[in-house]
Amino acid sequence: MAKKDIDWSNLGFGYIKTDKRFVSNYKNGAWDEGCLTEDDTITLSECAGVLQYAQTVFEGLKAYTTEKGQVVIFRPDLNAARLKSSAERLEMPVYPEDQFVEAVVKTVEGNLDFVPPYGSGATLYIRPYMFGTNPVIGVKPATEYQFRVFTTPVGPYFKGGAKPITIKVSDFDRAAPHGTGHIKAGLNYAMSLHAIVTAHNEGFAENMYLDPATRTKVEETGGANFLFVTKDGKVVTPKSDSILPSITRRSLVYVAKEYLGLEVEEREVLFEEVKDFAEAGLCGTAAVISPVGKIVDHGKEICLPSGMEEMGPVTKKLYDTLTGIQMGRIDAPEGWIRVIK
Ligand SMILES: *Cc1c(COP(=O)(O)O)cnc(C)c1O
């Protein structure tokens, strides 16, 4: 076994086919035991539930090589639990949580040569997902499903340092009240594509979505939760039933309290308040934290005091601590790290 000949430090975030993927099928009310396969293709009925009515949910996590050279994954039990709640909301069968973690472990084990080395900044992205496979034409849940896990190596999110981004307040909504904003479903992304393409065309990196009912409260972006820091050093993160419960955000909240001794408020955040914050960041598996330097609301600019050159100091501490835990430089809380090899 030898690491693949890949220029790890210059990888982007794109799909690269790796050797193995895990596949399990659900039929007659039960999941089969599943297995690893080299076949990266799927043959489906033209009328498959996923193709007609978008019955599909997914997860995203990463495998890292630690400072000591171990291959680890970060809190996969939370991805298992979240896939369960996503599946339940879309009337899909639950893939058992312990089997989920084992499937992820097996898939990484089958692709160890694709796990980027420590220090490259690159990681192995893991994508578990599930979709309805049998023909569905009348609107109802499918009766047969497939659960898969594939991996793809991805490059360092920030090449040459984490530069703060400029985002805009979107005119579109991401999630309806009492809708599906809190689950990780492809359907939430399909309808966000027009909004993100629009934002990019206008020169913005991301959208800030407000709560659709009143448009006065901060929700999240298309794929990351917000984290703010007040001028007196408190961490504030929006609470809402239509936000996707980011594992990165929940981990950062723990790190803020337990490792850094910071005060944390998880509560509704009025858009009105944003101009008074000292720092802002977006959190998710991809970047851990992306610093936000400027928020534009219909021509009105909110410039965070942390500026456009670097991460704010508290954001940086949070980032360094969590990535330190993931990379094995800092002791992790019990149960956060699953060692694969
Ligand atoms: C996946 C996702 C996030 C980030 O969640 P993590 O578990 O931290 O990766 C945030 N918002 C949305 C809408 C997402 O789909």
Side-chain angles (χ1 to χ4, degrees), residues 7 64 77 79 93 119 174 179 197 199 211 260 272:
D7 182 5
Y64 313 84
D77 52 315
N79 295 98
R174 190 191 81 89
V197 170
D211 76 293
L260 303 176
E272 250 317 286

Side-chain angles (χ1 to χ4, degrees), residues 39-297:
D39 190 356
D40 61 320
T41 64
I42 299 168
T43 301
L44 279 179
S45 162
E46 63 186 353
C47 195
V50 60
L51 299 178
Q52 303 311 322
Y53 302 121
Q55 215 186 1
T56 176
V57 293
F58 68 100
E59 274 303 322
L61 68 163
K62 285 172 166 182
Y64 313 84
T65 304
T66 66
E67 195 176 37
K68 293 195 189 99
Q70 287 185 313
V71 173
V72 303
I73 49 177
F74 182 73
R75 309 189 79 180
D77 52 315
L78 296 190
N79 295 98
R82 195 168 62 187
L83 190 75
K84 173 177 188 280
S85 64
S86 298
E88 285 168 348
R89 180 63 176 78
L90 293 195
E91 291 295 335
M92 301 166 81
V94 169
Y95 194 76
E97 289 171 76
D98 50 344
Q99 279 168 246
F100 173 100
V101 174
E102 291 321 304
V104 168
V105 168
K106 270 191 204 135
T107 312
V108 175
E109 282 172 347
N111 297 292
L112 281 175
D113 294 347
F114 287 94
V115 183
Y118 177 77
S120 64
T123 52
L124 187 71
Y125 185 75
I126 307 163
R127 170 54 59 88
Y129 60 116
M130 201 169 116
F131 49 93
T133 53
N134 66 294
V136 175
I137 194 73
V139 177
K140 59 175 184 281
T143 53
E144 295 174 12
Y145 293 85
Q146 187 164 98
F147 168 79
R148 295 178 78 97
V149 184
F150 71 76
T151 60
T152 185
V154 295
Y157 196 84
F158 302 114
K159 291 196 182 107
K163 282 276 170 197
I165 55 172
T166 299
I167 66 175
K168 71 168 283 186
V169 175
S170 185
D171 292 320
F172 301 101
D173 294 326
R174 190 191 81 89
H178 319 293
T180 56
H182 60 299
I183 64 164
K184 213 164 174 74
L187 53 87
N188 289 331
Y189 280 78
M191 52 111 249
S192 76
L193 295 175
H194 179 59
I196 192 64
V197 170
T198 303
H200 287 167
N201 286 342
E202 295 170 358
F204 299 102
E206 268 298 344
N207 280 304
M208 170 185 270
Y209 291 105
L210 301 180
D211 76 293
T214 71
R215 294 194 151 259
T216 58
K217 290 172 265 182
V218 177
E219 292 256 310
E220 61 171 319
T221 68
N225 287 180
F226 278 103
L227 206 129
F228 300 102
V229 181
T230 63
K231 287 185 175 135
D232 56 359
K234 251 186 249 159
V235 173
V236 178
T237 184
K239 188 171 175 164
S240 152
D241 291 341
S242 45
I243 287 176
L244 193 284
S246 158
I247 294 165
T248 313
R249 186 252 301 162
R250 286 182 274 162
S251 303
L252 287 165
V253 163
Y254 183 90
V255 162
K257 288 184 193 160
E258 306 298 328
Y259 281 63
L260 303 176
L262 299 170
E263 210 175 304
V264 180
E265 292 178 355
E266 297 180 74
R267 58 166 173 84
E268 288 188 338
V269 174
L270 293 175
F271 179 67
E272 250 317 286
E273 292 178 66
V274 172
K275 62 179 187 340
D276 299 323
F277 289 131
E279 302 175 33
L282 307 176
C283 30
T285 295
V288 180
I289 309 181
S290 258
V292 174
K294 196 191 283 187
I295 302 165
V296 181
D297 175 25

